[in-house]
Amino acid sequence: MKILTATEKPFAKEAVNGIKQIIEEAGYEFALLEKYTDKAQLLEAVKDADGLIIRSDKVTSEVVAAAENLKIVVRAGAGYDNVDLKACSDKNIVVMNTPGQNSNAVAELVIGMMIAVSRNCFTPGTGSEVSGKTLGIHAYGNVGRIAARYGKALGMTVYAYDPFIKDKAVFEKDGVIMAESPEELYSKCRFVSIHMPANEQTKKSINYSLLSLMPKGATLINTARKEVVDEESISRMFEERNDFRYAADIAPAIAAELKEKYPNRFLSTPKKMGAETAEANINAGLAAARQSVGFLKDGITKFKVN
Ligand code: 3PG
């Protein structure tokens, strides 16, 4: 059986070696497609694969149709909005993610971006410190929890809101104050960091009605997905408030315009950088390889999402 690792944005070399070793030790064939520039390359490579390991690579219905032997897709990472779950389920293909494996890398980037925008994106002028300020964590999952801990270590007062956590004790044990609603979170926090997946409920949900509630020095940090932020609301916030700042891990469509107009208050990465560390690649990549082998050999479906 063949397990293909298809990564348009490649893993670190050490991670690739580790994935190869796990797959070959299990007696399977290892195949690699990296830095591909055309989806035709993926369609060709996936044809005879039994397993597929990906990052943010798009597994569309077309990819699923081309993959004649495919039994499992493992997204080495948390968000699986890049996988057509229905197309996979219709062909009895199991889809998994590797939750938590790259969370620390993303949480570290939250802190890095928060400090960078607070220092005027390294343009001349006086910046401000984050210590003593309020940090709001919107969605308290693996990344949110670590970002909260780092925020506290920096001397910030940390609030969190999560629609799926109603028990205050979950937050209190981490020294985090529970916000009862997104509105409360945005009203109380100068910095808000978002950590929800992109889905029908969350797309464009970070909008003007929430952002305009933020106090002076309002700063939004998005290391989640660009789709969850309403870009028109971002433009409006920048136009109306000269204190508003936005740091985005992956450039929004309006990035060039924002960079030109507000170079000291807007920061974005050209490609998603949150999980771009050797450690995160190794953690997520090796977990994906183990999960692929575990499923193909023993039918283990832990972390199945469809
Ligand atoms: C994730 O969902 O795990 C992160 O966004 C990382 O995505 P990447 O593997 O494409 O860097």
Side-chain angles (χ1 to χ4, degrees), residues 11 76 101-103 105-106 274-286:
F11 285 123
Q101 299 290 350
N102 58 19
S103 305
V106 182
E276 276 301 79
T277 66
E279 294 88 341
N281 284 183
I282 292 166
N283 290 343
L286 268 55

Side-chain angles (χ1 to χ4, degrees), residues 9 55-56 75-79 102 224-225 272 275-276:
K9 187 172 64 181
R55 296 184 66 178
S56 288
R75 192 287 190 234
N102 58 19
R225 289 289 182 272
K272 200 140 50 82
E276 276 301 79

Side-chain angles (χ1 to χ4, degrees), residues 107-123 125-133 135 147 150-151 153-156 190-193 219-223 245-248 264-267:
E108 285 191 13
L109 189 69
V110 169
I111 304 301
M113 291 191 111
M114 180 168 69
I115 293 175
V117 277
S118 298
R119 298 300 177 100
N120 302 327
C121 307
F122 309 127
T123 60
T126 309
S128 60
E129 297 176 22
V130 301
S131 184
K133 311 289 187 326
L135 169 64
Y150 293 164
L154 284 165
M156 303 182 85
R190 172 167 169 160
F191 295 89
V192 172
S193 184
T219 300
L220 180 70
I221 304 132
N222 177 10
T223 56
R245 287 161 196 262
Y246 182 39
N264 56 339
R265 295 192 281 128
F266 172 72
L267 188 70

Side-chain angles (χ1 to χ4, degrees), residues 139-140 161-167 170-171 196-197 199 201-202:
Y140 203 58
Y161 170 76
D162 190 300
F164 302 105
I165 307 175
K166 299 294 171 208
D167 179 3
V170 173
F171 302 100
M196 69 283 289
N199 56 38
Q201 286 73 47
T202 62

